[in-house]
Amino acid sequence: MRKNLLLLVWLLSTVCGTQAANLSSLTGTWDRGIENEVILYGIVSGRTERVAICPLAEDRAFSFSFEPTGEGFYVIGAGNARSDQDKYLFYFQPGDSLSLAVNDSTYVITGNNTIENQMLTRWHDEVLSLEWKSVYFRTRYGRVDGLPSTYVDFFPLLTQKAALTDETFTTGNEAFDRHFAHFRTYDLLRFAWTLLVTPRMTHPAPKDFPEYLRTHQLEDITHDTELLYYPFGSSLLQRGANLREARLRKTAFAQATPSGGESAEYAYSLGNKVLDAVMNDTLKGELVLAAAEKLKLADDYWVLVARYGEYVLTNDQKQRMGALTERVVHTPVTVETIDFSGTDIDNRVFRLSDFVGKVVVVDVWATWCVPCRREIPALQRLITTYKGEEVVFVSISLDEVKDRQKWMDFVNEEMLGGVQLFGGNGFRSEVAQAYQIKSIPRFLLFDKEGQLVAANAPRPSSPILAKMIEDLLKR
């Protein structure tokens, strides 16, 4: 439940009793599908966040009462939270009421409703045919001659409806009118871009695009953060970015994802070019977060943060990035500190616990590991940088016992600094078992109290590791 909303939910067919003047109410019936609950969503940075759930009564009725702290868009819907289907957009100020009835294909507002929601309903009715062809293309409403709609029948209709965005719609509510002027453009682009990124029987060539899509591209809607007031703003931004990437790859518009086998540098070059088309840095941050959420490997995550972390600007973005970082550095390994040991060249035993009182960076590596050896120069630079500071760098080798001499020779020949330890036994070694290490290099970071801070810390070649060390030294 969002902290800035006080929400009361009644499991009744209507709202009963006298309500405070600043409470808004939302009542209606949901006569579609087999859903047994209706969800109220608020809008946070262009994405929908669930506020409350109301189970449907036997007569398929629902009722919400809530207290917005301001005014803005809300979504009432059912089903998959990430899907555009079965989601309807409305506008509330404190004290507003809305009544509607959802049927098998659309909705109608009933009773007395605000002029803002009357306007939104008029607009929805005007563009409903586009929504069917785009969002509901797998249903009977989105089919043409029994087949899903394609650009051939969609583009002429888009051109016709685009003329409506030039009309002036006024309600007397300046905030709503300002947002609604952008809202209509976003809606049309959402329907058009959804059609382009979903599988169809045929896809358009650039020459087939109508004038509206040629003059309304990613750069045209990203000059400011207005897009984040739109309930589907985040997903619209991502679809626009996917289409820009597809054009750069010169692939079909519905195949706007990497085909695999490309170099990392090529992928990041594409990323740079996509971000260049986004005019506002906060919106760039939204795309960076969207990309970060999809990454599986900690190394990929840290590279992305190092390259694009500067665009994570707002408090909301920083909180979300913090949650992602927590997931990356602590998953799937344990978050508890587990002591382990190794022997140095002189066969003296050292344990992790011997270094309590200092920040500890542990490099788990092996002489046969090429990526591990690539990190050595960066690691040695860090060792030099923090000489005399309360930081210790411990490298522990997973070379097999039979290769101990090979490890010793390498340490001596390369004149490696820091504390050099031999773990032996490969991934069966004590440290690998303790921290569930199945691939190397792996870097662990511990604070001065000996507590694990990051089980998947950035590599030394990433500036993020130095920043994390600095933060721990200040504690």
Side-chain angles (χ1 to χ4, degrees), residues 253-411:
F253 285 96
Q255 298 172 345
T257 54
S259 59
E262 62 190 23
S263 70
E265 285 305 314
Y266 175 70
Y268 280 109
S269 173
L270 282 176
N272 292 335
K273 292 177 181 178
V274 171
L275 287 181
D276 285 345
V278 178
M279 303 291 103
N280 180 271
D281 283 353
T282 297
L283 296 186
K284 290 181 181 181
E286 290 297 316
L287 288 179
V288 170
L289 280 164
E293 288 174 351
K294 298 174 184 177
L295 296 178
K296 304 293 185 183
L297 300 177
D299 290 342
D300 293 338
Y301 175 81
W302 293 123
V303 170
L304 182 139
V305 170
R307 288 176 180 256
Y308 305 125
E310 64 182 291
Y311 296 119
V312 178
L313 299 172
T314 69
N315 289 335
D316 174 66
Q317 290 175 341
K318 290 176 181 177
Q319 289 175 2
R320 287 150 59 200
M321 182 61 83
L324 283 173
T325 301
E326 186 71 13
R327 185 194 74 188
V328 168
V329 301
H330 285 152
T331 303
V333 302
T334 176
V335 297
E336 296 180 358
T337 299
I338 300 176
D339 206 4
F340 61 86
S341 65
T343 56
D344 69 2
I345 288 180
D346 297 322
N347 219 30
R348 293 176 300 182
V349 177
F350 287 87
R351 302 198 67 84
L352 174 65
S353 54
D354 294 335
F355 306 107
V356 171
K358 294 185 177 181
V359 174
V360 182
V361 179
V362 177
D363 171 19
V364 184
W365 71 296
T367 59
W368 49 261
C369 170
V370 174
C372 300
R373 294 168 68 160
R374 287 177 182 159
E375 289 298 318
I376 289 176
L379 179 60
Q380 295 302 303
R381 286 194 294 271
L382 282 180
I383 292 172
T384 300
T385 298
Y386 289 100
K387 184 177 181 180
E389 301 281 346
E390 293 182 324
V391 185
V392 61
F393 294 86
V394 179
S395 296
I396 183 163
S397 168
L398 299 190
D399 283 280
E400 296 291 342
V401 174
K402 65 181 180 62
D403 293 322
R404 180 180 172 86
Q405 186 60 50
K406 177 182 178 182
W407 164 76
M408 293 172 60
D409 293 341
F410 186 88
V411 169

Side-chain angles (χ1 to χ4, degrees), residues 44-108:
V44 180
S45 297
R47 64 187 188 277
T48 53
E49 285 200 353
R50 189 171 66 187
V51 173
I53 300 175
C54 183
L56 291 171
E58 290 186 6
D59 60 355
R60 307 291 290 176
F62 62 88
S63 176
F64 294 93
S65 182
F66 59 102
E67 183 179 1
T69 56
E71 62 178 284
F73 292 106
Y74 286 79
V75 171
I76 184 75
N80 186 340
R82 292 184 175 272
S83 170
D84 289 7
Q85 291 192 8
D86 300 331
K87 306 293 186 301
Y88 297 112
L89 287 57
F90 299 101
Y91 195 87
F92 280 95
Q93 299 181 76
D96 284 352
S97 296
L98 171 68
S99 299
L100 73 156
V102 178
N103 54 43
D104 65 343
S105 60
T106 185
Y107 77 88
V108 294

Side-chain angles (χ1 to χ4, degrees), residues 99-297:
S99 299
L100 73 156
V102 178
N103 54 43
D104 65 343
S105 60
T106 185
Y107 77 88
V108 294
I109 55 175
T110 59
N112 295 320
N113 290 288
T114 64
I115 187 172
E116 292 90 351
N117 287 325
Q118 292 175 32
M119 191 72 74
L120 283 171
T121 300
R122 281 178 53 193
W123 170 256
H124 179 264
D125 291 345
E126 286 283 1
V127 298
L128 180 59
S129 53
L130 284 176
E131 184 179 34
W132 281 343
K133 292 175 181 291
S134 170
V135 178
Y136 296 91
F137 70 98
R138 296 187 187 277
T139 73
R140 60 189 175 95
Y141 299 105
R143 291 179 175 268
V144 177
D145 297 329
L147 296 174
S149 172
T150 69
Y151 78 93
V152 176
D153 56 89
F154 182 90
F155 280 173
L157 185 60
L158 175 67
T159 298
Q160 175 188 337
K161 300 300 181 182
L164 295 174
T165 62
D166 296 327
E167 297 184 13
T168 301
F169 293 83
T170 59
T171 64
N173 180 336
E174 292 184 5
F176 172 81
D177 291 345
R178 182 176 66 255
H179 293 315
F180 187 52
H182 297 281
F183 179 103
R184 287 171 282 158
T185 295
Y186 299 155
D187 247 11
L188 294 184
L189 289 178
R190 176 166 66 99
F191 299 146
W193 290 355
T194 298
L195 179 133
L196 293 174
V197 300
T198 48
R200 309 284 170 149
M201 296 293 292
T202 182
H203 294 278
K207 65 180 178 60
D208 300 316
F209 274 46
E211 183 66 19
Y212 189 79
L213 288 185
R214 293 177 183 175
T215 56
H216 290 80
Q217 298 188 35
L218 188 60
E219 50 266 52
D220 300 304
I221 63 169
T222 57
H223 285 278
D224 53 36
T225 58
E226 177 66 33
L227 188 60
L228 300 185
Y229 290 94
Y230 179 61
F232 301 109
S234 179
S235 59
L236 178 62
L237 179 64
Q238 291 176 52
R239 288 170 198 172
N242 287 342
L243 289 171
R244 173 56 61 100
E245 182 179 331
R247 285 194 288 272
L248 292 170
R249 293 176 183 276
K250 299 181 180 180
T251 60
F253 285 96
Q255 298 172 345
T257 54
S259 59
E262 62 190 23
S263 70
E265 285 305 314
Y266 175 70
Y268 280 109
S269 173
L270 282 176
N272 292 335
K273 292 177 181 178
V274 171
L275 287 181
D276 285 345
V278 178
M279 303 291 103
N280 180 271
D281 283 353
T282 297
L283 296 186
K284 290 181 181 181
E286 290 297 316
L287 288 179
V288 170
L289 280 164
E293 288 174 351
K294 298 174 184 177
L295 296 178
K296 304 293 185 183
L297 300 177

Side-chain angles (χ1 to χ4, degrees), residues 359 389-390 448 466-475:
V359 174
E389 301 281 346
E390 293 182 324
K448 294 178 183 179
K467 183 179 183 305
M468 294 176 75
I469 293 172
E470 292 287 348
D471 290 342
L472 290 175
L473 286 173
K474 294 174 183 178
R475 292 185 183 179

